[in-house]
Amino acid sequence: MEIIEDDLTGPAMRALLERHARGMLENSPPDACHFLDLSGLQVPEVTVWSIWDDGSLAGCGALREIDGRHGEVKSMRTADDHLGKGVGRKMLEHIVAVASSRGYRRLSLETGNGPSFEAAVHLYRSSGFEPCGPFDQYTESEFSRYLTLDLVDASGPVGSTAAEAPSAVDGGTS
């Protein structure tokens, strides 16, 4: 698998982001949908990557800089035909590595509650992310879950001892 910084112009990437948006809207209350649309992914503080497997788009993920010490995982999505192949874990490892190299001390994310988000939550928790309260612009919500990873105390590669997240569900982060 190859991860590249994506300029968001390719039709496969745009289709995957549209699938991500539909999934978030279908599985989240309207007031709890925090995914970034295309214009939100194209701002300077956001870096987006695509992950490719033998020429096929397998997934995507993004990193948003909150400030010089804190980043946010955004737009994690695995293409349906690549579920269960370790795509999400590989992308998350990449995002954590980039966040660490940028000097961030903390990496956080917001995701949903319910069956469609369980695989994503399992991936994050098995990778060392711990529950936290709302951060940055987020507020308390019965639907949202907030997780964070202390990059200063993180030891070893992300998920180095944990099993891959269940593949039956394709949830994600906003």
Side-chain angles (χ1 to χ4, degrees):
M1 283 188 252
E2 177 187 18
I3 297 175
I4 62 167
E5 190 169 328
D6 203 290
D7 64 8
L8 304 174
T9 59
M13 184 63 162
R14 287 191 176 223
L16 183 61
L17 290 171
E18 288 172 12
R19 169 72 177 100
H20 179 64
R22 278 193 316 274
M24 295 296 102
L25 292 169
E26 291 167 2
N27 293 293
S28 308
D31 63 339
C33 242
H34 303 289
F35 67 90
L36 295 174
D37 63 11
L38 190 60
S39 65
L41 291 169
Q42 294 174 315
V43 297
E45 61 271 15
V46 175
T47 307
V48 181
W49 295 275
S50 53
I51 186 166
W52 298 82
D53 187 21
D54 290 328
S56 175
L57 178 62
C60 62
L63 175 60
R64 181 179 77 90
E65 182 172 291
I66 295 171
D67 61 43
R69 301 178 72 169
H70 191 187
E72 179 183 10
V73 177
K74 297 295 288 182
S75 301
M76 287 278 293
R77 190 67 176 205
T78 299
D80 293 343
D81 56 342
H82 290 276
L83 292 169
K85 297 180 181 178
V87 172
R89 186 164 306 280
K90 183 105 172 147
M91 180 59 73
L92 186 58
E93 288 172 351
H94 180 77
I95 290 171
V96 170
V98 170
S100 294
S101 74
R102 290 181 180 177
Y104 297 166
R105 300 178 62 79
R106 182 173 157 204
L107 187 58
S108 301
L109 62 93
E110 181 275 340
T111 192
N113 230 336
S116 61
F117 296 94
E118 288 307 314
V121 171
H122 175 80
L123 171 63
Y124 302 130
R125 293 298 305 269
S126 70
S127 299
F129 283 78
E130 297 290 333
C132 67
F135 58 93
D136 195 37
Q137 81 279 7
Y138 296 104
T139 59
E140 280 297 332
S141 161
E142 288 184 22
F143 179 77
S144 292
R145 292 191 223 184
Y146 305 101
L147 302 169
T148 196
L149 178 67
D150 182 348
L151 296 173
V152 176
D153 291 335
S155 60
V158 172
S160 60
T161 60
E164 178 65 27
S167 61
V169 183
D170 66 347
T173 55
S174 56

